Amino acid sequence: MRLTASIRTALLAGVAGVVLPASAFAQDTADQAEPGAEAEASSRTGAGSEIIVTATKRAQTLQEAPVSVSVTSGETLERAEIRDLIDLQTVAPSLRVSQLQSSANTTFIIRGFGNGANNAGIEPSVGVFIDGVFRSRSAGQIADIANVSRVEVLRGPQSTLFGKNASAGVISVVTREPQFDFGGSVSATYGNFDQMVLKADVTGPISESVAFSVDGTYNKRDGYVDVVNLDEKINERNRYSVRGQLLFENGGPLRLRAIADYSKIDELCCFAGNVVAGPTVPLIFAVGGEIEPENLFSDRTYLDTLPINEIESYGGSLQADLELGDLTLTSITAYRELRSLSQQDVDFSSADVVSELRDQAYDTFTQEVRIASDFDGPLNFLLGGFYFNEKVEQTSGITNGADTRAFFDLLAGGGAPGTLSFVESQLGFEQGSIFAEGPSTSEYFTLDNEAYSIFGTVDFEPFDGLTLTAGFNYTKDKKDFTLQQESLDPLANINLVDVVVVGQIAGALGIPPGSVDAATIAAFQQANPAAFQQIAAAATNPAVNPLLALQPLQFLPPFLNVPNSVEPGRTRDDDFSYTLRAAFDVTDQLNAYVTYATGFKASSVNLSRDSRPLPADYTPGPFGSSILAPSSPIRDAGLGVPNLTTGTRFAGPEEAEVYEVGLKGDFPGVSFNLALFDQTLEGFQSNIFTGTGFALANAGEQSTRGFEFDSILQPVDPLVLTFALTYLDPKYDSFPNSTLGDLSGLRPAGIPEWTIATSATYTHEFGMTGNALIGRLDYYHESNTQIVDGLTGFDTNEEGLALARLFRREVNQVNASLTLALDMGLELSAFVRNLTNDRYITTIFDGVAQAGTVSGYPNQPRTYGGTVRFKF
């Protein structure tokens, strides 16, 4: 079931506190009686404080809410200088966030499950909702968020709460509503790398029944990576956002909240450095290029063009809540547009070899309607529906630069020039045409996605202290996609076996090679089977056919467009997910729950140049030969193109299952939350970078067992300590057909066994003045773990797997802040993030068109600064 803003404010206010890694929002019973009232915990909220929540439209204490969720309050975000969701992982255990090649490509992972970045056809397994509105792509999620009330991270399948793509979990951002009391705040931050952040918000009444709020942010920072040859810096910040809200509330049954927002990112990002200098690196130097070999943390690079990232995200939503006695009817309507443009030097050197352009557009409409009860008796329910309609377009392509031909000529000739000219003369190509400067591929992909779901929950309390819950979600998802690509290089457009076969048949028949068509080949094979077999054997023998040595240069082959007569270009999915839960109050201070839940994410489409037909639709011949290919639906329909191989057009649905047991205690001075779980994802959608595109495939089954422990300790009134520990034991139960070979039985990479998030907040109050000095220190740790499963740019899978095992990551990040908060509303803060300047590799990947070379992304260095804030 998906919950949206208004009831989500109520319902998820409830789940807000099952886990409190840094802070929680709290409200007393009197506040709870106010319609739409919200409050957040101050830094002084500690263990043992009773927090009233309404997770199921029933008043519950925070400890009674039977859901595994971590909550970070708006005040904690301010104290910790967390500006976007990327930094959220340092206070939210079980959540991992990584940014890839551009500002738009951010991946969220919960309990080791998550995907979705860097491929426009893949929706994330972790759903992100802002004020109840689903943000389908990470590019629409990462902008600086102002005026946040809290951020909730729900762990495990949440399909019966949120519906759309919540098979791994949910991140729900709840912002502050307009207030009928005039107020607001302004703040200015200055930090190293000339960072400047400005924020402002104002709220107040327009009339007795209408309130407004307006907020905005501006975030600019110099890059910390030097592009030496261009005398520029990258990995900068340059973004802003504005948002306006109106709230109608007159004490009657109807309540309306309208939100409109716009955000813009225009940044030079992101730096990828060399971590393995493969055999192609000397060729970069040979064509006059420069690179920083195997020196990732120097924060120096060489590029021929700066990486451009432009993202615009804008839209609006309207939430209506209508009280009908003991029932509440809620509607949330939203429309959003997202535009993302990136252009990058993807050989990551000063040589002008290869660049890539991606221009993406997403138009999304969502509608949710639900009705929830608030009966005095033992039975309550929630029933609703959700509709989703999205259109995706991507224009993209690879462009050869001025040094491309020279680079690949040296590669083909083992370091000596002239090979490509010889090949052109032998094959009848125009001189200088292979790897000529200009476009190498031109791509246009579209995806239309329409989905709806019906969801509901029933809570039954047979006797005081025991609540039995059953929830369901039926989802129907329809995707229609088109894939069009032109591969413009002449060498890529011929098969090196077929060209020999055609030439030999032409010679035997005494006709020009251009006269040999499919009918001629079939007739020759039937009339001269022995001769044809000899020709085929010679053409597929590298010792006889020297052209086969050029096959590695055909990495951007022709593309079979979709839809076609064999591949319809569509997916049709439906699923019934459900949740069963029993929650029991052991004592007034100790609560337990047991949950069994399933989750679902529909098929994802491979919108990349590595999209290929399924093996059931096509079987290539030796060395990709079309002439020697056996019978298959695509071959028999006459659709084959040179060098066509198999792969996937899409990955089927993900289906999640979790068994979870939770125990929560709330005692004077200490509170804790413990969740033990066994979670499985069947058909996990694996998206592996291959050097020029992505291989999208379903893992047979991936599972994770583990536990999450969160606690708050308040030994003395001014001091609040938090400690959160996550243990994960993941495994590929079955993944026999991955791009890297059979991974069954192995531990998935990138998932730390242990994660720790802990903090200490001390508040010194200056007598009765209302002034306070607040110090905060937090520590985040990920145990040593392998970064990626393997690398594809090597001669064998074993070699790529072995090299990947050498690259590991361990995270030890310390953050600190000190704030002087004056009673008159002025605050002065100093902060530092990554105090010890702990550097590590976030991920690695194969070099683009450079077999044996490996690139990687480093984490951000230490940042620090000061903030002046005034609240009125």
Side-chain angles (χ1 to χ4, degrees):
M1 168 188 10
R2 286 193 20 142
L3 303 182
T4 53
S6 176
I7 287 187
R8 185 155 314 136
T9 296
L11 298 187
L12 285 181
V15 285
V18 179
V19 180
L20 294 166
S23 62
F25 67 98
Q27 51 194 48
D28 60 26
T29 307
D31 289 336
Q32 187 64 35
E34 291 291 333
E38 293 184 3
E40 60 187 80
S42 72
S43 58
R44 299 160 217 177
T45 298
S49 56
E50 185 178 78
I51 301 171
I52 304 300
V53 296
T54 55
T56 57
K57 291 298 288 182
R58 294 183 297 113
Q60 294 176 293
T61 66
L62 184 105
Q63 292 302 115
E64 290 172 336
V67 183
S68 181
V69 57
S70 64
V71 178
T72 305
S73 72
E75 183 167 355
T76 296
L77 298 178
E78 289 182 355
R79 297 280 182 260
E81 292 293 327
I82 293 173
R83 305 197 184 281
D84 59 31
L85 295 181
I86 295 174
D87 286 333
L88 185 64
Q89 62 185 333
T90 59
V91 294
S94 293
L95 172 68
R96 281 203 63 249
V97 186
S98 63
Q99 186 174 68
L100 304 177
Q101 73 185 54
S102 72
S103 303
N105 294 320
T106 303
T107 300
F108 301 101
I109 299 170
I110 294 178
R111 290 181 175 174
F113 299 104
N115 54 23
N118 231 10
N119 191 329
I122 304 177
E123 296 170 291
S125 300
V126 176
V128 176
F129 296 79
I130 299 179
D131 288 322
V133 176
F134 178 54
R135 302 290 183 94
S136 66
R137 298 299 190 278
S138 61
Q141 304 161 356
I142 61 171
D144 294 356
I145 303 170
N147 234 2
V148 173
S149 174
R150 63 188 180 276
V151 179
E152 303 158 353
V153 179
L154 286 81
R155 304 179 290 217
Q158 303 297 329
S159 291
T160 57
L161 276 176
F162 289 84
K164 183 68 173 174
N165 293 350
S167 58
V170 162
I171 300 172
S172 177
V173 180
V174 180
T175 66
R176 297 186 184 97
E177 295 182 343
Q179 302 296 307
F180 285 92
D181 294 324
F182 183 77
S185 68
V186 292
S187 68
T189 298
Y190 184 79
N192 61 330
F193 305 115
D194 281 331
Q195 181 185 37
M196 183 171 61
V197 181
L198 302 176
K199 289 187 176 184
D201 66 270
V202 62
T203 186
I206 296 177
S207 68
E208 291 185 355
S209 57
V210 178
F212 80 97
S213 68
V214 178
D215 60 69
T217 67
Y218 174 74
N219 186 347
K220 187 170 178 60
R221 186 199 69 198
D222 290 346
Y224 57 83
V225 176
D226 290 314
V227 184
V228 179
N229 60 302
L230 299 180
D231 194 25
E232 295 278 0
K233 292 181 180 293
I234 61 173
N235 282 35
E236 63 176 11
R237 281 284 186 269
N238 185 22
R239 54 183 66 177
Y240 69 88
S241 65
V242 292
R243 184 180 53 162
Q245 298 188 68
L246 290 175
L247 176 67
F248 170 79
E249 187 171 19
N250 63 359
L254 179 63
R255 188 172 185 271
L256 301 173
R257 184 187 183 189
I259 304 173
D261 67 271
Y262 175 88
S263 64
K264 176 71 178 288
I265 295 176
D266 186 0
E267 297 174 347
L268 300 177
C269 186
C270 299
F271 164 59
N274 178 267
V275 294
V276 174
T280 61
V281 169
L283 306 183
I284 293 289
F285 288 104
V287 298
E290 295 179 275
I291 197 171
E292 188 88 0
E294 301 182 4
N295 193 12
L296 184 65
F297 301 116
S298 67
D299 291 332
R300 287 162 45 94
T301 190
Y302 296 86
L303 300 171
D304 67 272
T305 185
L306 296 174
I308 296 172
N309 292 268
E310 297 179 3
I311 302 171
E312 286 185 288
S313 178
Y314 45 90
S317 64
L318 176 65
Q319 176 172 332
D321 298 293
L322 180 63
E323 300 290 341
L324 302 170
D326 292 333
L327 301 176
T328 300
L329 179 65
T330 296
S331 169
I332 298 182
T333 306
Y335 177 77
R336 301 202 59 81
E337 293 189 3
L338 173 66
R339 302 293 182 262
S340 177
L341 173 68
S342 64
Q343 187 165 8
Q344 193 165 32
D345 172 4
V346 292
D347 58 83
F348 305 114
S349 75
S350 62
D352 187 9
V353 180
V354 183
S355 64
E356 182 187 30
L357 169 74
R358 291 190 200 176
D359 190 356
Q360 299 167 335
Y362 307 83
D363 297 340
T364 309
F365 173 79
T366 58
Q367 174 65 58
E368 182 172 356
V369 178
R370 65 179 179 272
I371 188 167
S373 70
D374 188 16
F375 301 137
D376 291 334
L379 195 67
N380 276 284
F381 74 91
L382 185 149
L383 181 65
F386 175 71
Y387 176 76
F388 176 87
N389 191 301
E390 182 172 72
K391 298 185 182 301
V392 180
E393 291 188 17
Q394 174 176 309
T395 302
S396 53
I398 294 286
T399 300
N400 295 334
D403 298 321
T404 305
R405 180 178 172 85
F407 173 81
F408 286 108
D409 192 27
L410 293 175
L411 182 62
T419 299
L420 295 185
S421 292
F422 175 75
V423 170
E424 288 164 344
S425 66
Q426 294 299 300
L427 297 178
F429 293 159
E430 181 182 348
Q431 283 295 308
S433 60
I434 299 177
F435 290 112
E437 184 175 359
S440 182
T441 69
S442 176
E443 303 140 9
Y444 179 68
F445 306 140
T446 71
L447 171 63
D448 292 343
N449 183 195
E450 185 176 38
Y452 69 83
S453 62
I454 302 171
F455 57 87
T457 60
V458 175
D459 291 334
F460 176 60
E461 190 173 1
F463 56 85
D464 193 34
L466 176 65
T467 302
L468 305 177
T469 299
F472 79 95
N473 182 301
Y474 175 75
T475 295
K476 195 171 185 66
D477 185 278
K478 178 177 72 173
K479 292 184 173 74
D480 295 283
F481 57 92
T482 67
L483 308 171
Q484 301 174 37
Q485 176 181 313
E486 289 184 274
S487 295
L488 305 174
D489 187 78
L491 181 60
N493 278 277
I494 63 165
N495 179 265
L496 300 171
V497 169
D498 292 348
V499 71
V500 172
V501 171
V502 168
Q504 292 295 310
I505 291 176
L509 297 177
I511 61 175
S515 301
V516 179
D517 56 15
T520 305
I521 295 171
F524 182 86
Q525 183 178 8
Q526 185 175 7
N528 306 280
F532 184 83
Q533 286 298 111
Q534 289 180 343
I535 291 173
T540 56
N541 185 348
V544 179
N545 181 3
L547 291 177
L548 293 176
L550 299 175
Q551 193 173 44
L553 300 182
Q554 298 178 307
F555 53 85
L556 295 172
F559 191 89
L560 176 58
N561 292 342
V562 175
N564 53 59
S565 60
V566 174
E567 301 173 291
R570 64 172 181 257
T571 66
R572 299 292 186 266
D573 302 316
D574 66 285
D575 179 78
F576 183 84
S577 302
Y578 59 96
T579 297
L580 300 173
R581 179 181 296 116
F584 183 66
D585 300 338
V586 181
T587 69
D588 289 342
Q589 296 174 314
L590 192 64
N591 314 96
Y593 68 89
V594 179
T595 298
Y596 173 79
T598 64
F600 173 76
K601 189 181 89 165
S603 298
S604 289
V605 179
N606 192 3
L607 298 187
S608 90
R609 60 186 65 91
D610 268 3
S611 175
R612 297 287 185 267
L614 294 170
D617 292 329
Y618 183 69
T619 304
F623 296 96
S625 169
S626 299
I627 294 174
L628 304 181
S631 174
S632 67
I634 285 177
R635 179 188 182 276
D636 296 345
L639 297 174
V641 296
N643 301 315
L644 183 63
T645 59
T646 59
T648 62
R649 299 295 193 185
F650 59 88
E654 293 180 350
E655 296 185 353
E657 178 183 61
V658 67
Y659 297 87
E660 184 169 314
V661 178
L663 184 66
K664 296 173 286 179
D666 189 2
F667 303 93
V670 61
S671 65
F672 71 88
N673 306 275
L674 174 66
L676 292 82
F677 60 88
D678 185 346
Q679 186 170 330
T680 302
L681 215 59
E682 290 190 10
F684 175 72
Q685 295 170 358
S686 171
N687 185 46
I688 297 176
F689 183 61
T690 60
T692 56
F694 295 90
L696 177 63
N698 290 104
E701 183 176 288
Q702 179 181 336
S703 63
T704 301
R705 297 178 179 178
F707 68 83
E708 296 151 338
F709 176 77
D710 302 79
S711 61
I712 302 177
L713 178 66
Q714 192 167 10
V716 293
D717 187 56
L719 179 64
V720 177
L721 305 174
T722 72
F723 177 79
L725 174 69
T726 297
Y727 169 77
L728 300 176
D729 181 20
K731 183 173 72 172
Y732 285 126
D733 300 291
S734 174
F735 198 1
N737 299 316
S738 85
T739 305
L740 302 166
D742 188 357
L743 299 181
S744 301
L746 299 181
R747 180 187 179 96
I751 305 173
E753 184 176 16
W754 297 97
T755 303
I756 297 172
T758 185
S759 72
T761 302
Y762 186 85
T763 303
H764 175 73
E765 297 183 348
F766 296 96
M768 303 297 292
T769 64
N771 302 328
L773 187 65
I774 305 165
R776 175 185 169 85
L777 183 70
D778 65 71
Y779 169 68
Y780 177 76
H781 168 75
E782 291 181 11
S783 62
N784 192 281
T785 186
Q786 184 174 324
I787 296 175
V788 297
D789 290 324
L791 298 159
T792 61
F794 294 86
D795 292 335
T796 65
N797 284 331
E798 289 74 17
E799 187 179 356
L801 292 169
L803 182 62
R805 283 192 283 270
L806 301 178
F807 291 94
R808 305 182 66 86
R809 174 186 64 239
E810 181 175 325
V811 179
N812 294 283
Q813 183 169 328
V814 179
N815 309 304
S817 68
L818 185 65
T819 301
L820 176 63
L822 303 180
D823 184 58
M824 45 80 73
L826 181 65
E827 293 184 0
L828 304 174
S829 300
F831 68 89
V832 58
R833 293 192 61 81
N834 195 7
L835 175 66
T836 62
N837 203 33
D838 181 41
R839 304 302 300 273
Y840 53 88
I841 303 173
T842 61
T843 193
I844 60 175
F845 58 95
D846 291 285
V848 176
Q850 298 181 66
T853 290
V854 181
S855 302
Y857 298 108
N859 73 313
Q860 185 170 277
R862 175 173 49 233
T863 57
Y864 54 86
T867 298
V868 178
R869 181 180 295 108
F870 181 67
K871 298 180 179 180
F872 56 90

